[in-house]
Amino acid sequence: MKGSLPLLILFTLSQGGKHGYAIAKVIREQSEGVLAFTEGTLYPTLHDLEKRGFIESYKDKVSGRTRRCYQLTEAGLRELDVQRQEWNQYSSAVSSILGGAV
Amino acid sequence: MNSFKNWLDEVMDGLPAELVEEIQTEYTAHYEDAVEDHQSEGFSGAESEQIALGQLGTAKKVSRKLKDVHIGRATYLSGLYASALLLFLFIASQILYVSLDLKDGSLASRGFMSSIEFILVTFSLYILFAMRRLLEWHYEEESLVPLITFIGVGMVWQSGAVIISRLLYDYSGHDEALRTLSSYTSATDLILLVSILIGRFIMGCGLVMLGWRLSKVSDSLYGLRKPIAGGIMLMGFCAATYGISVNIDLYAPAELAYVGMMLGHAIIWPLTILLFFRVLYRNPIHTPLKTT
């Protein structure tokens, strides 16, 4: 499932700005623990998305601590649509093959 | 907490100083949040720290990803420019070589050709360096790094000998690499000819091995894996064949191998430009997910 983390991050951030740990927690909880990733690689992925202009960071106070949070940009919203479409095409193609085999 | 400190130190090692504090703060907050969450789930302090650290992954992997984003991108961009310039210089040098009749053996001609060789090898070495970072940091193919170093050594060795040989000796009508070992004129000349041969052989074998190993990597390199691997193997095979056949006085295979090397150049550099471009401007970085 290479390359799916950026899509999940973009989707998570489309629901509102979050810091890194909150993003990891949402992915873990919403997939009911099925999807996991090396959490240390979350930050390079976030920094990469920021360099590409898909997200932007800002400082926010969370539980009394200053945290670096991330939010989606307009370009990120468009990228989310593109990646979601690609994912839907891919998954429906696999589903139709598996469905046909049953 | 000590284990986390060690993990963090290893991750930050080699990152630009101006980024360290901010990235350190991010990881520390993440780790502390995770420890708190695990404690609230009923784990002891030590257990929570251990679980939280395990979830972060190995320091080596995380460090590579951070370097890919914060150092690698600049290297890949300059690698892209260097590949484009090299392609241009390579074509221009071939045209100049023919149109200016640089086989007259004058010191000016030899100096000019040596300068071209120096520039081409400098650019080639830089592209190798950028490719090494790309394979190590972006594609996590660390095992290819020693091969790239091996090729670099061969390249410096043979080009160094070619440049010195060109400047010292007047081989009117000959490319100095197109001379058999028996045609040497002095002990220094012989050493240089042997050096050219060995360097070219090391470089050739290294390229063949790199191409072969590259063809086996799991990532498709944006669909460029096979043509790049093929081009590298062609160039390597021809470089090694060229060196050997010249040495044993077989000019026909040498000429054929020379054409193969030119073809290899024509295949590899445009593909390298394309690969760096796609890494920089196509999809965001690959971060594998796994199902638990």
Side-chain angles (χ1 to χ4, degrees), chain A residues 33 39-40 43 65 67 70, chain B residues 26-27 30 32-33 37 292:
Chain A
E39 289 183 13
Y43 294 95
R65 279 193 292 209
R67 304 288 298 258
Y70 298 88
Chain B
E26 254 187 326
Y27 277 109
H30 186 109
E32 286 171 357
D33 281 351
D37 271 2
T292 53

Side-chain angles (χ1 to χ4, degrees), chain B residues 73-124:
Chain B
R73 285 181 67 84
T75 314
Y76 311 150
L77 185 63
S78 41
L80 190 156
Y81 290 140
S83 304
L85 261 170
L86 183 67
L87 183 64
F88 170 75
L89 283 170
F90 177 72
I91 296 167
S93 66
Q94 297 302 312
I95 294 169
L96 280 176
Y97 187 66
V98 175
S99 60
L100 296 180
D101 192 20
L102 290 170
K103 291 181 177 178
D104 64 359
S106 69
L107 187 61
S109 297
R110 287 184 280 135
F112 178 78
M113 288 307 290
S114 295
S115 310
I116 294 281
E117 176 83 23
F118 179 76
I119 294 168
L120 290 180
V121 81
T122 306
F123 275 95
S124 304

Side-chain angles (χ1 to χ4, degrees), chain A:
Chain A
M1 300 252 292
K2 272 196 156 188
S4 306
L5 185 59
L7 167 63
L8 296 182
I9 291 173
L10 292 176
F11 177 74
T12 307
L13 291 179
S14 71
Q15 298 166 334
K18 288 173 188 65
H19 55 75
Y21 185 72
I23 296 169
K25 208 171 167 181
V26 166
I27 294 173
R28 219 182 308 129
E29 287 176 358
Q30 290 197 356
S31 73
E32 294 173 346
V34 173
L35 290 178
F37 58 95
T38 310
E39 289 183 13
T41 62
L42 174 71
Y43 294 95
T45 311
L46 284 167
H47 300 167
D48 184 60
L49 289 169
E50 189 177 20
K51 277 178 189 273
R52 289 170 194 266
F54 297 145
I55 61 176
E56 57 194 8
S57 65
Y58 58 96
K59 295 269 173 17
D60 198 13
K61 279 246 179 221
V62 181
S63 314
R65 279 193 292 209
T66 306
R67 304 288 298 258
R68 185 178 177 188
C69 295
Y70 298 88
Q71 66 187 11
L72 215 54
T73 62
E74 281 297 315
L77 207 55
R78 285 194 297 273
E79 179 67 15
L80 172 62
D81 279 341
V82 171
Q83 288 206 26
R84 196 171 6 201
Q85 257 177 4
E86 283 176 6
W87 176 256
N88 286 340
Q89 270 179 345
Y90 173 80
S91 69
S92 70
V94 173
S95 298
S96 54
I97 291 170
L98 295 181
V102 173

